[in-house]
Amino acid sequence: MLQAKAYFDTHHHVGVIDQRIFSGFLEHLGRAVYEGVYDPESPLSDEQGFRRDVLEALRAMRMPLVRYPGGNFVSCYDWTDGIGPREQRPVRVDYAWKSRETNQFGTDEFMAWCQETGIAPMMAVNLGTGTPKEASALLEYCNLPGGTYWADRRIQNGHEQPYDVRLWCLGNEMDGDWQAGHVPAEVYAQRAKAAAIIMKGLDASIETVACGSSGRGMSTYLHWDRTVLEHCWENIDYISAHRYSENRRGDSAWFLAEGVEIDRVVDDYAALLNYVRGVKRSEKRVHLSFDEWNVWYKNMEMDGKGESAPHLLEEVYNLEDALVCAQYLSSFVRHADVVKVACLAQIVNVIAPLLTKRDGLLVQSIYYPIVSFAQHARGLSLVPALESPTYKAGERGDVAALDAAMSYDEASGTVAAFLVNREQRQEMRVVLSLGDQRFGEVLSVEVLGGGDAKAANTWEEPKRVTPRSAEAHVNEVGELIVTVPAPGFAVVRARVSKR
């Protein structure tokens, strides 16, 4: 058995964990909307057409926000197609995913779905083929009380109260040449600044997210972001980052060290944000919105062939994918001073923790660590110091076998430790030491994994990868000791008290 130790101290932290890092993303893509969250023909749907089983599974994920309606979809989307009487809504060709969009689910339906789930909307505006003026019209429709054209249209459509959308994405992946309306950074920055000024002029309480790089592999990575930040600094609140992890080479040891690269991306942005702030001599801070992240590489079918709700990007997730997702969330927690928003892409059917049939729901492996973090990571993010054995991670070289994060909720006097054992053959005995505190009562221990890194839940074996209860104990000097499966994930919650 491997031996590792993780040191923490409640005085050594990076600030409060923003619960918005546990948010999600819903795009008009494949079966994410139709047959995903919305399926009037399913016996499992309510009177609004919302899938009750999906709603229930998502509630456990405690997502504060869901980003909508895209994604690549938004860059050719006219939001006015999706409001008003459904029988009058046009059917459109979707450029992004080569599909047919019926517009039976639009802004008002999304807001009703958010209300049903208790999730707040994070709206994206079209700055690809759309204009800042059209973006401000959507804000008017959503947030103004009445007495103006678009606010009155919302009221006429049966929605008296404003939706009060607080967070707005100024386009999507505008650095990518696949994006409808793609332009150089300088041109996008002008559009984004104009949109932010107009939108905040209508509602000064909103926050805005400018498009950053769509991936670390882009030739313009960070150059694009710097241009946008320097131009828009005073008008935006966040810059976005996107990353999709993959294991096309079939090297599990390499893939399970993905947290190293995730940390590097966040560190890149932390340095860039500090640089631009310094150059501008600004008192203001801009933070990171990591608003697309997940594992994605097995199902790359992106051509809907003109169909409505085609089966696209329906990734099947296994244990190693779940452990990579846990490392994303550990990184976001450890960088709580930088990452304030993060959105799992996506939430149902399309690269998602949930898959639906008309009469059933399959919970995938990645669902479980996401739920663990969302339910237990509260309060301050403590800075870890690790003594960990290393293992050979392919081209990544020698990498620490242990990945760790810890939250401390001072009000309740509890901590939650999130531990990933990247090594595939040997369990890991982890000793947790809290310098200024003693561990007391162990409240819960859950572990996920052990065995085949490729194990996955299927319709035939839906419980193959699920968490199970485990044990931990506190030694005579107040340290907490737990065993993490190989490969595997553990979350431990305990009370603490002053030494």
Side-chain angles (χ1 to χ4, degrees):
M1 183 180 292
L2 298 175
Q3 307 290 325
K5 193 162 187 177
Y7 299 89
F8 300 89
D9 190 299
T10 64
H11 295 105
H12 194 194
H13 61 80
V14 295
V16 176
I17 300 163
D18 194 320
Q19 294 301 297
R20 295 178 300 171
I21 67 173
F22 307 121
S23 298
F25 175 35
L26 175 66
E27 181 174 5
H28 284 256
L29 160 58
R31 298 192 309 128
V33 172
Y34 308 108
E35 299 184 24
V37 299
Y38 177 74
D39 191 356
E41 297 180 23
S42 171
L44 300 176
S45 294
D46 63 18
E47 64 279 359
Q48 298 183 83
F50 302 151
R51 284 285 295 255
R52 292 188 302 267
D53 52 346
V54 173
L55 287 172
E56 200 60 36
L58 291 175
R59 286 191 184 107
M61 297 174 73
R62 298 189 181 182
M63 292 182 296
L65 300 167
V66 164
R67 178 172 169 248
Y68 172 87
N72 295 354
F73 173 81
V74 78
S75 293
C76 256
Y77 180 53
D78 182 345
W79 67 270
T80 65
D81 289 343
I83 62 172
R86 283 198 177 102
E87 65 275 10
Q88 296 177 18
R89 297 182 190 180
V91 176
R92 302 284 192 193
V93 173
D94 168 31
Y95 166 82
W97 307 110
K98 309 298 185 289
S99 306
R100 186 171 73 254
E101 174 55 54
T102 65
N103 286 303
Q104 294 301 288
F105 187 101
T107 298
D108 295 319
E109 288 76 24
F110 175 65
M111 297 300 174
W113 180 83
C114 285
Q115 185 175 24
E116 187 71 21
T117 57
I119 293 170
M122 177 180 179
M123 292 294 286
V125 299
N126 179 356
L127 287 187
T129 60
T131 66
K133 182 179 178 182
E134 292 165 349
S136 67
L138 177 56
L139 174 71
E140 179 188 334
Y141 185 87
C142 289
N143 283 17
L144 270 60
T148 58
Y149 178 80
W150 285 112
D152 285 344
R153 281 285 299 274
R154 182 195 70 245
I155 294 170
Q156 292 164 15
N157 289 336
H159 310 284
E160 179 74 24
Q161 297 302 314
Y163 295 130
D164 194 34
V165 180
R166 298 292 94 213
L167 191 56
W168 294 81
C169 299
L170 305 175
N172 174 77
E173 293 188 353
M174 292 302 299
D175 63 321
D177 58 9
W178 59 85
Q179 200 73 206
H182 161 67
V183 289
E186 295 81 0
V187 178
Y188 166 72
Q190 292 169 3
R191 286 184 196 170
K193 182 176 181 179
I197 289 172
I198 297 171
M199 293 169 74
K200 289 189 172 187
L202 292 178
D203 184 348
S205 68
I206 68 167
E207 293 184 308
T208 54
V209 184
C211 292
S213 292
S214 54
R216 194 164 180 263
M218 299 293 291
S219 63
T220 55
Y221 177 65
L222 294 188
H223 297 288
W224 167 282
D225 308 78
R226 185 186 67 183
T227 300
V228 172
L229 286 167
E230 288 179 346
H231 194 80
C232 300
W233 186 267
E234 296 302 329
N235 307 105
I236 62 171
D237 304 280
Y238 308 93
I239 188 83
S240 72
H242 292 176
R243 181 176 179 83
Y244 291 99
S245 299
E246 52 82 16
N247 188 20
R248 293 185 181 90
R249 65 189 68 195
D251 185 342
S252 294
W254 172 87
F255 185 50
L256 286 168
E258 178 71 0
V260 173
E261 298 300 323
I262 298 163
D263 282 342
R264 187 168 295 169
V265 171
V266 180
D267 288 340
D268 287 348
Y269 277 96
L272 177 62
L273 289 164
N274 282 330
Y275 166 78
V276 176
R277 184 170 181 257
V279 167
K280 287 187 164 291
R281 300 169 179 84
S282 175
E283 295 302 313
K284 178 183 177 180
R285 289 195 179 275
V286 173
H287 292 99
L288 186 60
S289 174
F290 215 120
D291 48 41
E292 286 187 34
W293 69 267
N294 205 341
V295 174
W296 173 32
Y297 68 100
K298 305 181 196 76
N299 187 330
M300 305 302 293
E301 180 55 65
M302 291 178 272
D303 185 347
K305 298 179 173 59
E307 299 176 7
S308 177
H311 288 244
L312 302 178
L313 280 61
E314 299 201 5
E315 194 92 343
V316 174
Y317 288 109
N318 57 33
L319 172 60
E320 66 182 13
D321 299 329
L323 301 182
V324 168
C325 287
Q327 291 176 69
Y328 269 102
L329 292 168
S330 282
S331 183
F332 299 158
V333 167
R334 287 194 299 268
H335 294 89
D337 54 337
V338 179
V339 185
K340 299 298 183 181
V341 180
C343 301
L344 172 72
Q346 295 188 23
I347 58 174
V348 58
N349 285 334
V350 173
I351 48 174
L354 305 172
L355 290 174
T356 68
K357 297 190 296 188
R358 189 128 279 170
D359 60 352
L361 179 73
L362 178 66
V363 177
Q364 300 219 70
S365 62
I366 66 171
Y367 177 84
Y368 297 108
I370 295 166
V371 167
S372 292
F373 274 92
Q375 292 188 350
H376 302 311
R378 293 286 185 276
L380 298 173
S381 169
L382 304 188
V383 177
L386 303 183
E387 291 178 0
S388 170
T390 61
Y391 78 104
K392 300 293 183 183
E395 293 178 5
R396 288 177 172 149
D398 292 339
V399 172
L402 174 64
D403 178 84
M406 182 180 284
S407 64
Y408 170 55
D409 183 2
E410 187 173 14
S412 63
T414 62
V415 297
F418 306 92
L419 310 170
V420 174
N421 178 7
R422 295 165 168 151
E423 217 285 328
Q424 296 180 73
R425 292 172 298 278
Q426 298 183 71
E427 292 181 328
M428 183 183 295
R429 179 180 181 270
V430 181
V431 178
L432 302 174
S433 177
L434 199 55
D436 63 328
Q437 307 262 7
R438 290 180 60 91
F439 288 98
E441 178 189 5
V442 177
L443 299 174
S444 65
V445 183
E446 274 196 347
V447 298
L448 180 75
D452 184 4
K454 302 294 186 182
N457 294 337
T458 64
W459 291 103
E460 294 73 30
E461 291 186 87
K463 300 294 186 181
R464 189 176 179 197
V465 183
T466 54
R468 59 191 183 275
S469 296
E471 294 184 355
H473 71 274
V474 178
N475 66 16
E476 64 279 0
V477 295
E479 297 172 325
L480 191 150
I481 301 166
V482 63
T483 299
V484 187
F489 170 70
V491 56
V492 187
R493 296 172 56 248
R495 298 195 192 280
V496 295
S497 60
K498 296 288 185 183
R499 288 190 179 275

